[in-house]
Amino acid sequence: MEHRVIPVHLRESYNVLIGGGLLAKSGSLIRVALGDCRLAVVTDCNVAGLYLDGVLTSLREAGYDTCSFVFPAGEQSKRMDTLSNLLEFFAEERLTRTDCVLALGGGVTGDLAGFAAGCYLRGIRYVQLPTTLLAAVDSSIGGKTAIDLPQGKNLAGLFHQPSLVLCDIDCFHTLPAEELSNGAAEAIKTGILEGEPLFSLLETGNVREHIEPIVTQCVRYKANIVGQDETETGPRKLLNLGHTVGHAIEKCSGFSIPHGYAVAIGLAIIARAAESLGAVDEPIAARIESALVRNGLPITTKFSPEALANAALSDKKRTGGQITLVVPRAIGACYFLELPTAQLENFFRAGMEAGK
Ligand code: NAD
Ligand code: ZN
């Protein structure tokens, strides 16, 4: 089966390949893009059980010398001690400047392995092999890497672009429904930014059936934005749609609510707030809510507007007395709203009361 190729145009450009059966062909695809080197595969224990042997076989068939590092699955592994074990593993394996790391897994693996690749020997290459929908449509593209600190999520990290992204859509067959929903939230966010035909595909609630066009359109959108704004000083900030509330909900829940679920609630609140304040060109809130619900996502929260505003204002995205929100005015049209921080709680309240 042929695959799609979506380029990300940066100083050092790279391709995102999307299609079925890509993991089984990973060795030859990596050889074409990167040439000869040693490959260190980084993956979590769940993904290792499903896909590591297949990937290692393909790499060896393509003539690669490999080693692999497996860590316990889950966000708790995205922290300093795993990073430090990983860096020591690279050193013990004597990886050199010309070698390469493969991040095989979801966003946790990509963020951790990308960060380790970005600082080992002041930066070696890495390849993303996303196996969750969230990683495929969002975290594997754009070069943001990070680990969590006890003080908060993603507090230590760097921009380090991958050299190649291989997105094997067959991986999503083994993904539990909640993980598919988690990724669908980021896809719906992209659909609200991009508009049609992506949003309509997501409105069906049947992501599995439309997986290839959904992933392709999300990747194309993100690749284009990242190509315009590599380090998030301008248009890339649009990708924060739903995230001010989303991050606040994650924080208030002690990070027990997964990122995508929190973003889903954030998308619903911001859409209802925009609509109830008359700041939209067309009714959007009901459509956005129904797309979220059909994909198994929540649209309300038990936390108060006050608690969410307090959590949001302690977040790093705050600048001075203003906070920048991304607000939808129609499906396919969002804009930046500079809001005085004192008005944030009322803005959230408008979106939460309209949801009752
Ligand atoms: P994850 O990597 O923990 O994966 C979720 C779960 O699915 C894990 O238990 C994993 O083992 C399992 N899994 C992965 N692939 C599977 C498959 N094909 N079949 C069955 N199970 C599979 O989490 P995630 O949701 O992919 O990513 C969340 C992380 O991504 C967060 O840490 C978040 O901060 C980060 N993130 C980063 C960016 C970025 O731009 N760098 C963007 C968004 C999110
Ligand atoms: Zn996100």
Side-chain angles (χ1 to χ4, degrees):
M1 194 169 101
E2 254 319 298
H3 52 257
R4 286 177 191 279
V5 181
I6 298 176
V8 184
H9 294 293
L10 295 167
R11 275 164 303 158
E12 285 183 51
S13 296
Y14 55 95
N15 286 328
V16 183
L17 276 45
I18 301 167
L22 293 191
L23 290 186
K25 292 193 279 190
S26 54
S28 51
L29 294 169
I30 290 170
R31 186 162 283 285
V32 170
L34 282 92
D36 200 32
C37 58
R38 281 194 77 211
L39 297 175
V41 184
V42 179
T43 191
D44 74 30
C45 57
N46 294 339
V47 178
L50 292 164
Y51 301 111
L52 182 58
D53 284 350
V55 169
L56 289 176
T57 302
S58 171
L59 299 176
R60 287 190 196 118
E61 279 171 4
Y64 279 113
D65 179 15
T66 62
C67 54
S68 44
F69 180 94
V70 180
F71 63 90
E75 182 75 27
Q76 317 80 269
S77 284
K78 215 180 91 170
R79 63 179 190 212
M80 198 59 100
D81 58 348
T82 326
L83 175 71
S84 135
N85 290 340
L86 185 51
L87 291 171
E88 288 183 28
F89 171 78
F90 293 164
E92 268 161 27
E93 289 289 335
R94 298 182 190 283
L95 292 194
T96 68
R97 291 295 305 274
T98 52
D99 292 334
C100 179
V101 174
L102 303 195
L104 172 66
V108 165
T109 304
D111 277 13
L112 177 69
F115 190 8
C119 58
Y120 180 71
L121 300 180
R122 300 190 186 84
I124 67 172
R125 295 175 298 175
Y126 76 115
V127 173
Q128 292 271 21
L129 299 99
T131 64
T132 63
L133 181 61
L134 183 137
V137 300
D138 193 353
S139 63
S140 66
I141 321 138
K144 272 195 190 176
T145 75
I147 57 163
D148 305 331
L149 300 180
Q151 289 77 6
K153 251 180 74 99
N154 295 328
L155 287 185
L158 37 82
F159 282 98
H160 183 46
Q161 297 291 341
S163 300
L164 176 69
V165 182
L166 296 182
C167 180
D168 185 341
I169 56 172
D170 292 341
C171 285
F172 308 134
H173 292 310
T174 56
L175 209 56
E178 318 82 77
E179 295 300 342
L180 206 67
S181 296
N182 200 38
E186 297 284 9
I188 291 169
K189 172 197 78 177
T190 310
I192 300 169
L193 292 163
E194 163 86 335
E196 304 301 349
L198 177 58
F199 192 81
S200 291
L201 285 177
L202 290 158
E203 260 180 328
T204 66
N206 196 342
V207 168
R208 284 195 200 274
E209 193 176 312
H210 304 290
I211 197 79
E212 210 213 316
I214 287 173
V215 171
T216 303
Q217 287 171 49
C218 289
V219 168
R220 200 172 280 139
Y221 182 85
K222 185 155 183 187
N224 181 32
I225 288 256
V226 168
Q228 294 170 45
D229 177 16
E230 183 171 357
T231 54
E232 198 177 304
T233 52
R236 188 166 175 177
K237 290 185 183 156
L238 284 170
L239 298 172
N240 292 326
L241 175 64
H243 279 61
T244 303
V245 181
H247 287 148
I249 288 171
E250 283 183 280
K251 208 180 263 183
C252 289
S253 77
F255 296 94
S256 63
I257 299 180
H259 181 70
Y261 285 64
V263 168
I265 300 166
L267 293 171
I269 290 177
I270 202 90
R272 289 191 299 251
E275 194 167 302
S276 73
L277 297 170
V280 293
D281 299 341
E282 62 186 35
I284 50 167
R287 254 190 104 182
I288 289 173
E289 285 179 336
S290 125
L292 293 166
V293 169
R294 283 191 188 157
N295 284 282
L297 289 160
I299 54 172
T300 55
T301 175
K302 62 175 190 199
F303 301 114
S304 68
E306 186 188 6
L308 294 182
N310 286 341
L313 292 173
S314 65
D315 198 74
K316 56 187 173 190
K317 284 186 185 75
R318 181 190 165 183
T319 41
Q322 304 267 336
I323 184 160
T324 306
L325 297 176
V326 184
V327 181
R329 74 166 98 245
I331 302 297
C334 295
Y335 64 101
F336 292 114
L337 175 71
E338 293 284 335
L339 199 71
T341 52
Q343 291 176 23
L344 189 65
E345 186 183 324
N346 277 339
F347 190 82
F348 287 173
R349 185 169 288 113
M352 292 163 80
E353 283 175 353
K356 281 187 184 149

